[in-house]
Amino acid sequence: MSKIIILTGAGISAESGIETFRAETGLWAQHRVEDVATPEGFLRDPQLVVDFYNARRAQAAEAQPNAAHKALARLEAEHRGDVLVVTQNVDDLHERGGTQNLIHMHGALNSALCGRCDHRWPAPLQMAVGNACPACDAPAARPDIVWFGEMPYQMERIFTALGQADIFAAIGTSGNVYPAAGFVAEAAGAGAQTLEINLEPSAVGSQFDKALLGPATQTVTAWVEDILNSN
Ligand code: BV8
């Protein structure tokens, strides 16, 4: 029974109305990465960063999982082998679409983190600078997001899974950010078949065995159908 590892990026949530990072009108067109997605940016102007993630949390709360999220949940429920989704996304559309075996390697909008004691708790829809930590009471709450220069979450578990994967699929990610962009090389090195599902080849597209090009709601649904029919 094949073990399937799936890496997702902003492209899988695009058809739910959540903007991606690197599209012309994307998040990085509106904000400088250094200002809103680095620890230095948070130190320099915590209000700007808290406002940035409050806006994205509100947008994600309004969005609905799309057919691609639901297809991955169906794959997890019906595939006879293991299925693990590793997402770079911080929205909760995979959960709301039914995926359970899920790692948020870059954190989650719905989680808050204490900058002092590392306690985590469910984030309010709107966080404020200096919110107190419910565990240590320090006014050190921050979005539970992995910023540039910070270590992504659960890397041990991810690399173990990549070493055992029979199939590795990357969906809706531009392959610009590491270590996620290096996962295809890791999986291929361990003998997995690799597939990229995207609108266009990513920055690491040439490292994949196969590509499925087109909107995720169509391509992911078709791919899951194929996998389940060959079970
Ligand atoms: C770390 C926060 C080390 C959450 C994000 C060289 C080698 C290795 C590392 C580095 C290096 N140079 C610099 C680094 C470090 C850096 C990095 O990779 N920089 C890049 C810019 C070069 N990496 C880091 O800092 C990482 N940490 O390396 O730690 C370390 C070691 C020891 C101790 C401490 C630390 C941390 C990276 C995480 C940064 N956080 N975001 C948030 O705000 O959301 S990154 C951000 O961009 C997202 O989280 C996401 O992960 C990432 C990539 O975005 P994508 O998801 O790919 O989205 P994008 O818009 O780019 O692309 C969308 C794709 O979808 C496109 O391909 C498009 O075609 C497609 N698409 C669109 N619509 C559809 C579609 N596909 C299908 N259907 C559609 N409808």
Side-chain angles (χ1 to χ4, degrees), residues 1-215:
M1 297 207 286
S2 54
K3 290 181 188 289
I4 305 175
I5 302 272
I6 298 153
L7 172 69
T8 64
I12 199 168
S13 295
E15 291 164 88
S16 295
I18 295 185
E19 60 221 331
T20 64
F21 289 90
R22 290 169 183 84
E24 283 72 53
T25 55
L27 285 165
W28 294 155
Q30 302 156 39
H31 307 276
R32 281 168 16 103
V33 176
E34 307 81 326
D35 293 340
V36 293
T38 63
E40 299 75 15
F42 183 63
L43 264 182
R44 200 169 41 243
D45 186 347
Q47 192 60 56
L48 177 74
V49 176
V50 164
D51 290 347
F52 176 64
Y53 286 101
N54 282 346
R56 291 180 58 198
R57 194 175 299 106
Q59 187 187 45
E62 292 300 309
Q64 295 304 322
N66 62 51
H69 296 106
K70 291 175 186 162
L72 294 186
R74 181 182 168 221
L75 180 67
E76 179 185 350
E78 298 178 19
H79 178 57
R80 299 227 303 272
D82 296 339
V83 175
L84 171 65
V85 175
V86 179
T87 188
Q88 300 173 90
N89 299 339
V90 292
D91 63 57
D92 62 348
L93 298 185
H94 278 302
E95 296 89 323
R96 286 162 55 202
T99 288
Q100 294 174 4
N101 201 16
L102 174 67
I103 294 178
H104 274 282
M105 68 177 287
H106 288 166
L109 288 168
N110 291 340
S111 174
L113 170 66
C114 176
R116 181 75 57 80
C117 74
D118 271 351
H119 176 65
R120 284 181 173 79
W121 66 98
L125 192 59
Q126 299 291 293
M127 290 185 76
V129 175
N131 276 152
C133 165
C136 75
D137 216 22
R142 58 164 274 187
D144 185 11
I145 298 288
V146 176
W147 288 322
F148 285 97
E150 295 185 323
M151 179 58 92
Y153 295 153
Q154 302 200 50
M155 291 305 293
E156 279 281 302
R157 187 174 155 210
I158 295 170
F159 276 101
T160 303
L162 290 169
Q164 297 167 348
D166 299 298
I167 296 171
F168 172 79
I171 302 172
T173 180
S174 62
N176 284 304
V177 174
Y178 287 80
F183 289 174
V184 53
E186 201 64 33
Q193 267 178 46
T194 58
L195 168 70
E196 179 165 79
I197 301 180
N198 201 309
L199 287 181
E200 60 193 8
S202 76
V204 289
S206 59
Q207 297 181 33
F208 287 83
D209 299 322
K210 278 175 55 182
L212 260 181
L213 298 186

